[in-house]
Amino acid sequence: MTGLHLFVSLMTPGHFRHSWRLPHADPLAHVDVDHFTRLARIAEKATIDGVFLGDGPALGSEIGEAPGTGLDPLVLLGHLAATTTNIGVVITSSTTYNSPYNLARRFQALDHVTKGRAAVNIVTTGTSSAAANFGLTAHPDKDTRYRRAWEFLDVVTRLWDSWEPGWLVADKVAGRYADASKVRAIDHDGEFFSVAGPLPVPPGPQGRPVVVQAGGSEGGLRLAGEFADVVFTAAQTKAKAVAFRDDIRRRATAAGRQPDDVKVSLGVVVLVSASAADAHARAEQLTATLPIARLTDDLLVNLGLSTGSFGPDDPICASDLPDTPAGQAFSTGFSAAIRALIAEGPRTPRELVVMAAGGSGHRLLVGSAEQVADDLESWYRAGTADGFTIMPAEAVVDVENFATLVVPLLQQRGLFRREYPASTLRERLGLPLAVRASGSR
């Protein structure tokens, strides 16, 4: 291994979504551009690979309890790219509620504007309320969403490839600017889209923007193997994480790619302080903000159990779970991560909610800088991932604490670089220039 990669989530107020309740918290930080600019600059000073922001095209039902996802990530992270020099920007976009031509064009432009720091995080949108915002009477089922996502990415990547190398002639005497035969229409006509192409601008510095994908269902894993440069995932146990990474690498190979052509980034909710005692005191504060009753019900549904079937402090055993993950689960990957914990021994819903930072499915890591660095090193050396997406428990505190306390320890151990080694995000991640998977047209 040559060193891990690090992304930082800017989700605000943090991945403990109810941390706005703490006395020092600004309840409007999630719409404060100065707050995000500060965090991005802190992350860049620590040579973090990229900043990431999740998103959904609908206001969640939890708005009565906590802020929504906030500002449009394309607008916000585009601004952050303009106020930084090196750090990558990973922008979440839905294949269910977007047009492939518009998305391909926007991210091609962003790659030029950022000089090769653009990445798109592809999601299919699990929130059913989004449908009504786009004139649909019903949210498409999961199978339909993933068929659409495959065709969407097929179109987007072909559009990004629609200008061949050598297109520029620039013969000023003859007045010949481009070799038009190297700028090709894609003439796509499929189940969901009809797109002629080509794009109106040539490829940016990365050839293609970096494609990030998150999804643990079969449809998501197929997308990852064929199209993703980086796969964002959740795991509560090392064994589960190693098995997931091995599976993704096998799928990439089956799609005609090299196993190292796709990197796995493991999400970890980090709560770190100068001392372990302070970190655990903060964890108690954050845990006290959680609406345990509702989160317990959400967790039971995600596991395929009925609401009220277990109280917050009733142990759930592996034998209590249905044989297959819940069809109604918001996230197959999150459900699998929680099931893996229960497989190791009975857990109460309260324990599971807290261990997953409020039920997100991602592992909660609490401790001093030394303890956090030790944990990340152990998981990395075990082959669980190529790097981590650090998800701050409380954004205003944990982004800075991670960057200033943990990153120097990882650098001292030779696990993370001290400066940016290349100009583009794709190069820094050790990714090749993208080529089409064998299954694509």
Side-chain angles (χ1 to χ4, degrees):
M1 294 185 176
T2 58
L4 56 82
H5 306 294
L6 290 173
F7 293 93
V8 168
S9 168
L10 300 183
M11 183 68 75
T12 296
H15 287 270
F16 272 80
R17 300 297 299 140
H18 301 80
S19 60
W20 66 272
R21 299 175 59 190
L22 297 178
H24 61 268
D26 176 4
L28 291 176
H30 69 298
V31 291
D32 181 359
V33 71
D34 293 334
H35 159 79
F36 288 104
T37 301
R38 171 181 169 270
L39 296 185
R41 288 174 174 167
I42 288 170
E44 181 169 63
K45 187 175 181 180
T47 69
I48 299 296
D49 288 288
V51 288
F52 161 79
L53 194 62
D55 188 51
L59 182 64
S61 60
E62 300 83 12
I63 187 61
E65 299 175 354
T69 50
L71 300 173
D72 184 310
L74 184 64
V75 175
L76 176 59
L77 271 69
H79 170 80
L80 297 184
T83 61
T84 55
T85 304
N86 295 293
I87 200 163
V89 289
V90 185
I91 298 167
T92 300
S93 298
S94 171
T95 59
T96 306
Y97 298 109
N98 263 306
S99 154
Y101 185 88
N102 279 343
L103 185 140
R105 187 183 185 196
R106 287 196 297 266
F107 279 88
Q108 189 99 308
L110 188 65
D111 203 44
H112 281 284
V113 169
T114 62
K115 298 182 179 179
R117 294 185 284 143
V120 57
N121 175 42
I122 291 295
V123 298
T124 61
T125 302
T127 308
S128 59
S129 58
N133 294 335
F134 293 86
L136 300 181
T137 57
H139 187 54
D141 62 52
K142 180 173 282 191
D143 179 67
T144 301
R145 295 200 311 272
Y146 275 105
R147 290 201 323 275
R148 178 186 169 101
W150 192 96
E151 186 178 338
F152 191 106
L153 277 174
D154 181 51
V155 172
V156 165
T157 52
R158 289 165 64 201
L159 286 168
W160 284 338
D161 295 344
S162 59
W163 292 59
E164 294 180 4
W167 64 268
L168 181 63
V169 178
D171 186 335
K172 296 184 178 182
V173 174
R176 186 166 178 247
Y177 178 70
D179 181 348
S181 69
K182 295 184 180 294
V183 183
R184 299 173 288 101
I186 68 168
D187 293 325
H188 174 86
D189 186 15
E191 179 183 2
F192 299 97
F193 307 109
S194 178
V195 181
L199 289 178
V201 292
Q206 297 187 105
R208 293 181 191 171
V210 171
V211 174
V212 182
Q213 191 273 337
S217 67
E218 180 57 32
L221 296 173
R222 182 189 177 206
L223 283 179
E226 295 199 27
F227 293 105
D229 298 304
V230 178
V231 180
F232 177 48
T233 189
Q236 292 282 350
T237 66
K238 287 181 180 177
K240 181 71 176 175
V242 170
F244 179 88
R245 180 171 180 262
D246 289 345
D247 183 41
I248 290 296
R249 290 168 65 84
R250 282 193 297 268
R251 289 172 183 267
T253 301
R257 307 167 66 192
Q258 296 298 314
D260 287 334
D261 288 354
V262 57
K263 308 297 182 183
V264 173
S265 183
L266 185 59
V268 184
V269 180
V270 171
L271 194 162
V272 59
S273 296
S275 71
D278 184 58
H280 286 282
R282 288 183 54 225
E284 289 184 11
Q285 283 185 311
L286 287 168
T287 300
T289 68
L290 298 175
I292 290 294
R294 182 185 64 76
L295 293 175
T296 292
D297 283 344
D298 290 349
L299 178 124
L300 292 175
V301 170
N302 209 33
L303 291 173
L305 302 170
S306 58
T307 58
S309 55
F310 289 83
D313 299 304
D314 296 334
I316 301 174
C317 301
S319 59
D320 295 320
L321 301 176
D323 291 337
T324 57
Q328 70 270 39
F330 178 79
S331 165
T332 302
F334 290 171
S335 177
I338 297 298
R339 289 169 69 94
L341 264 182
I342 297 172
E344 293 188 336
R347 303 280 187 177
T348 70
R350 188 189 303 274
E351 288 175 321
L352 293 169
V353 165
V354 172
M355 292 175 75
S360 70
H362 291 284
R363 184 171 66 99
L364 175 62
L365 173 55
V366 178
S368 66
E370 189 82 26
Q371 289 171 330
V372 170
D374 287 347
D375 182 277
L376 295 179
E377 179 176 4
S378 172
W379 279 65
Y380 175 66
R381 293 195 184 282
T384 61
D386 299 284
F388 302 94
T389 295
I390 303 304
M391 307 166 70
E394 187 184 4
V396 73
V397 177
D398 291 302
V399 170
E400 184 166 14
N401 282 0
F402 182 83
T404 60
L405 300 177
V406 179
V407 168
L409 295 178
L410 298 176
Q411 292 169 333
Q412 291 169 18
R413 300 177 188 190
L415 293 168
F416 190 61
R417 56 158 184 269
R418 296 179 182 273
E419 58 185 26
Y420 286 105
S423 59
T424 72
L425 179 60
R426 181 173 289 278
E427 290 174 291
R428 290 203 298 267
L429 294 173
L431 295 167
L433 288 176
V435 294
R436 297 198 59 76
S438 61
S440 303
R441 289 190 292 271

